[in-house]
Amino acid sequence: MTKDVIALTPRMPDTWALLAGLYAGGPDLGAEPSHDGAVIRLSARDGRPLVSLDAPLLVQVPGEAERLLGVRAPVQGPFWWTEVRASTAVPEAAPLAGSVAGRLAALRGGVVWPPEAATTEVVGTPPGEEGVTARPESGAAQPAVDVLTNTTAVVLADRPVLALTAWLSDILRTATAGGLALQIVTPPHVRLSLPLRTALTGAPNRWVVQDPECGYYDGLSGAVLRWQDGTFAPVRDEAGETLTAEAFTGAPPTAERQLVVAFRTLHEPDDSLVVGRALATAWTALTGSPPAGWGTAEPVNLPWSERQLTDLARERSPDPTHLLAVGGPGRPAIATHRVTRTEEGIEEDVTFALGCGEDEPVPLDALAPLARTLVAEHGLTTMFTSLRRARRDLTIPPRFEAPPVPVSYTLGAAGVRAAGLDHALRPPLALTPQRLGPPADLAVHYPLSDGTDAGSWITLQRLTAHLESAPEK
């Protein structure tokens, strides 16, 4: 049985419903929330964590249950998402999690994922224990962390799409602050969401995939892994080369594609500044409609609101604010959005990804007009676009995917002034730069390829080297 169970209900799990769920462990049970009320932990009498119950989350963005779990939401409108996570250290914990979620769904309507985990039965306590108690979740004993060593926090997960949820984001943040690696172990059918894949980029964090042939391999690099000295590390041959799992390289390439647009804007600090407008402009230009929702974790739960984004960024300033945005269920699109206060002003860093099916047109013709609008209205400093053969749903499978191919690069007015207009317009390359913006603040857009020529990476390298070699003024 899976350790993670989720109740999706059209009505909020109130106090009585939560208590009924908690009593799935039997009548000898007390309930005490954490200091902020976000998590309740059920523990054995000896203090071993059994189950943690997150505060219910109101999801107001359509399509999130389908995107992350592959199931329909219980209603067409907003619904409540309640996560129940079981410890893998105690066999009774998983059925207890299923009973907690099952009772919530039975009392408030709705469904449970996975459906086979749902029950309303009282679950017996571990042998030799006198029942369970509920106590606040603590960082020292989280059911979400299955193995903790001096170097690594290991999490076992089994979901259709493993996403950057609030609890997983907290674990990543805590592990990073403690100098630990986060390694997530999954079966081979699990895929990552794009935000989680981005968060896991780079050692020592890893996505560890179970494989019947080699044991374990890295889901992002394909390196065969072995548990060594308290962490998963690559296996090397006699020559010292890293071994690659056949399961990683064996799948045929997909004909679906992903268009990725990464750009940065810079604004002067101003009380009237509203962040998120550049992202909404790009989203509308490339999909025909604005984002459907935003949030700080997955599932993305809030309807799109530039004013609410701005309020959150102001509240967290001068610390940076990391946000996510998603589109509607009809056209897969997702973005990460980072707002940072720097000496130069307020920077917005956006990475937007759009999924396109084999027969769907990729909106490459919209890129130059988009760059022109971002330069004229949103303070664009740079924009880089690329195209890759990858899944339309924007999830990451534990298989090799071809790297992206550069499509275009845009240098904003400040960069053009630093390089010099003549220098920026005359790269020693077979391409035709396009002038963008008013004469006093010209930006330059460089078309590189149609996204099918991997040689455009060399073109991009030569272009950036040319721009960086501008003579000093």
Side-chain angles (χ1 to χ4, degrees), residues 302-339:
L302 298 172
W304 178 253
S305 169
E306 293 157 19
R307 174 53 60 189
Q308 289 183 349
L309 265 73
T310 303
D311 290 344
L312 179 63
R314 290 186 187 280
E315 179 184 328
R316 294 187 173 182
S317 182
D319 293 332
T321 299
H322 298 265
L323 306 169
L324 304 175
V326 295
R331 191 71 189 275
I334 194 167
T336 58
H337 182 203
R338 186 174 188 265
V339 183

Side-chain angles (χ1 to χ4, degrees), residues 229-271:
D229 300 323
T231 192
F232 284 99
V235 176
R236 303 184 184 277
D237 60 19
E238 295 180 355
E241 299 294 327
T242 301
L243 301 179
T244 301
E246 292 185 9
F248 183 77
T249 58
T254 178
E256 297 177 344
R257 292 150 297 169
Q258 295 176 7
L259 177 67
V260 181
V261 182
F263 63 87
R264 173 176 293 176
T265 62
L266 179 64
H267 316 278
E268 293 185 2
D270 191 297
D271 288 342

Side-chain angles (χ1 to χ4, degrees), residues 42-44 46-51 86-96 124-127 129 132 146:
L42 305 183
S43 299
D46 62 1
R48 287 183 298 166
L50 299 176
V51 169
S87 169
T88 54
V90 181
E92 291 81 4
L96 178 58
T125 56
E129 303 294 345
V132 296
D146 297 282

